[in-house]
Amino acid sequence: MTKSRYLMIGGFLGAGKTTTMLRFAELLTARGLRVGLITNDQASGLVDTSLAKHSHVAVEEIAGGCFCCRFSSLIQAARHLTESTKPDVFLAEPVGSCTDLVATVSLPLQQIYGDQFIVSPFAVLIDPARALRVFGMEAGRTFPEHVLYIYNKQLEEAEHIVVNKADSIAPELLMALEVEIMRRFAQARVHIMSAREGSGVEHLLNLLLAEESAPLRVMEVDYQRYGEGEAMLGWLNGAAGLNGDEFDGNALLLNLARNVQQKLTAAGAEVAHLKMVLSPSGEPYELAACNLVRGDAEPELSHTLADPLDDATLLINCRAAGEPDTLRDAVSNALTEIAAQHSVQLSAGPLEYFKPGQPNPEQRINAL
Ligand SMILES: Nc1nc2c(ncn2[C@@H]2O[C@H](COP(=O)(O)OP(=O)(O)OP(=O)(O)O)[C@@H](O)[C@H]2O)c(=O)[nH]1
Ligand SMILES: [Mg+2]
């Protein structure tokens, strides 16, 4: 039986995992390889899955818990993709607030399913603007201590640390950050990349495909602290129908992101990642996508619609350090205000808002 590659990219919320995965998929497809993407979240209705479909990448979504807590679902998702697409390479994106993935996913895959998968080294992405704050190298709002515990644990288990978004930061700051990462996380090799512009992406892919995961040790994790950190992040996944007369979907998304941003900031809830897609109803291959990765960043459109809309579907995924009710109020009130501002009728779709539950891995390899 030919083995498939299992390539998992971690990193905190908004670091650029999906952007990187879709770049990888493009490069692999151009090489004649088949790709299957596995997305993951605490709830369903994922913006990332929509973006993958939009890019014509075969995708399976695991909702209702992170990979480590849903290891059997991960295996099942891989089987589904094998039946439909027979991927040569599985690209797996874990939830951005998840850690301990080497002990609970990479090592069990190698040890239990080693006849089916070659597991690539675990690479973890970071957003430099976020990292500079977390490491105290720049002033600015960050997260409560238990959330930072997760952030640091993600980097502690990385075999490769990838400073993404190199295009967004001055070269001297980038260099200082690289030195600081090497000092703090000596076990990892450090790379610089811009998934958006493409620099360093193919180099990283080649490296991850050429090697197998071989961590030096299994990281210790205080699951109580980890669970408390996860519970400090509010989570909201929602959908809505928008109906109007030739409205500008790109402008509506940007205005909505700014409005939610103002409301969350006023409520003291630091945004980890607000992401939204808007597509003409029944046409998932056309969409506008908007992201906001910090409370004081500018929302950005990563995809735009060429034409005005009459009837559209909106997906919103919001993660912020705050109570779920705070997220719900911010998003529903912003939606009502923006719909009125753009003369659009709103019809509410599914809405889930909650705090992630205590992580409880199905499998964990405790020692090498
Ligand atoms: N400037 C810049 N922006 C980037 C780069 N890579 C990703 N982004 C942007 O960062 C934002 C978040 O990117 P995603 O790929 O959705 O991040 P993610 O890690 O998958 O986020 P979650 O799934 O929510 O954890 C989007 O606006 C991207 O366009 C990059 O190299 N440079
Ligand atoms: Mg993502």
Side-chain angles (χ1 to χ4, degrees):
M1 180 169 145
T2 328
K3 294 186 191 182
S4 306
R5 263 283 159 183
Y6 177 83
L7 201 166
M8 181 166 63
I9 301 271
F12 199 71
L13 297 157
K17 298 177 292 294
T18 304
T19 312
T20 303
M21 291 302 198
L22 296 178
R23 282 263 181 196
F24 279 2
E26 209 178 313
L27 290 165
L28 290 164
T29 308
R31 292 178 191 180
L33 293 168
R34 288 183 301 269
V35 176
L37 176 66
I38 306 175
T39 55
N40 180 213
D41 195 48
Q42 314 284 5
S44 57
L46 291 195
V47 163
D48 290 357
T49 306
S50 276
L51 291 170
K53 286 183 180 157
H54 169 74
S55 298
H56 300 271
V57 176
V59 58
E60 280 279 324
E61 178 176 297
I62 301 180
C66 50
F67 283 156
C68 56
C69 306
R70 306 287 310 269
F71 184 76
S72 30
S73 304
L74 176 64
I75 299 296
Q76 213 172 9
R79 286 210 182 107
H80 284 157
L81 282 167
T82 300
E83 282 158 20
S84 61
T85 321
K86 293 194 179 55
D88 302 295
V89 182
F90 288 97
L91 298 172
E93 179 182 340
V95 182
S97 61
C98 191
T99 187
D100 205 23
L101 287 148
V102 170
T104 62
V105 178
S106 300
L107 288 172
L109 270 181
Q110 279 181 322
Q111 295 189 8
I112 308 169
Y113 295 96
D115 57 332
Q116 297 173 35
F117 299 104
I118 303 172
V119 180
S120 284
F122 185 45
V124 175
L125 299 190
I126 62 172
D127 174 329
R130 174 74 74 199
L132 285 165
R133 289 186 186 185
V134 170
F135 300 153
M137 298 169 72
E138 273 197 349
R141 274 187 74 150
T142 180
F143 294 112
E145 193 200 322
H146 288 323
V147 177
L148 297 183
Y149 175 75
I150 299 175
Y151 190 96
N152 281 302
K153 282 287 165 189
Q154 290 183 336
L155 297 172
E156 192 184 322
E157 68 169 334
E159 296 176 82
H160 296 271
I161 294 178
V162 185
V163 182
N164 187 30
K165 311 193 185 182
D167 59 281
S168 69
I169 181 172
E172 54 281 9
L173 268 179
L174 200 58
M175 211 183 294
L177 181 58
E178 197 180 355
V179 170
E180 184 62 17
I181 293 169
M182 288 195 273
R183 191 183 71 75
R184 287 176 183 244
F185 306 102
Q187 87 291 347
R189 279 187 274 162
V190 184
H191 309 270
I192 306 291
M193 183 178 88
S194 167
R196 176 172 290 176
E197 295 188 342
S199 62
V201 176
E202 188 153 21
H203 174 75
L204 179 70
L205 175 64
N206 289 342
L207 211 129
L208 297 176
L209 290 179
E211 294 178 0
E212 278 193 54
S213 177
L216 300 173
R217 64 187 182 91
V218 176
M219 175 174 81
E220 280 178 23
V221 178
D222 176 344
Y223 265 75
Q224 193 180 335
R225 244 177 126 186
Y226 174 16
E228 284 171 22
E230 285 228 274
M232 283 173 173
L233 293 167
W235 222 258
L236 179 145
N237 284 7
L242 299 179
N243 233 276
D245 185 18
E246 302 235 318
F247 63 93
D248 180 342
N250 303 320
L252 184 144
L253 271 193
L254 273 179
N255 288 336
L256 181 58
R258 287 196 189 103
N259 195 314
V260 174
Q261 175 179 29
Q262 277 164 10
K263 289 184 168 44
L264 287 177
T265 305
E270 169 63 6
V271 175
H273 198 182
L274 167 67
K275 46 189 178 179
M276 306 187 281
V277 287
L278 185 67
S279 24
S281 297
E283 292 184 47
Y285 296 112
E286 275 180 53
L287 54 78
C290 184
N291 303 69
L292 173 71
V293 291
R294 284 191 320 281
D296 60 359
E298 268 296 306
E300 291 179 345
L301 289 171
S302 61
H303 299 66
T304 50
L305 284 161
D307 299 313
L309 296 164
D310 295 320
D311 187 19
T313 308
L314 173 72
L315 275 188
I316 301 190
N317 296 170
C318 180
R319 291 84 181 87
E323 292 300 317
D325 285 354
T326 309
L327 271 66
R328 185 224 29 216
D329 290 348
V331 168
S332 351
N333 294 337
L335 255 176
T336 309
E337 285 168 29
I338 294 302
Q341 199 178 313
H342 287 258
S343 309
V344 169
Q345 293 269 326
L346 256 185
S347 48
L351 177 68
E352 293 178 83
Y353 50 101
F354 57 91
K355 289 178 175 193
Q358 174 66 35
N360 187 14
E362 269 185 41
Q363 301 279 348
R364 186 172 201 274
I365 307 295
N366 292 312
L368 292 176

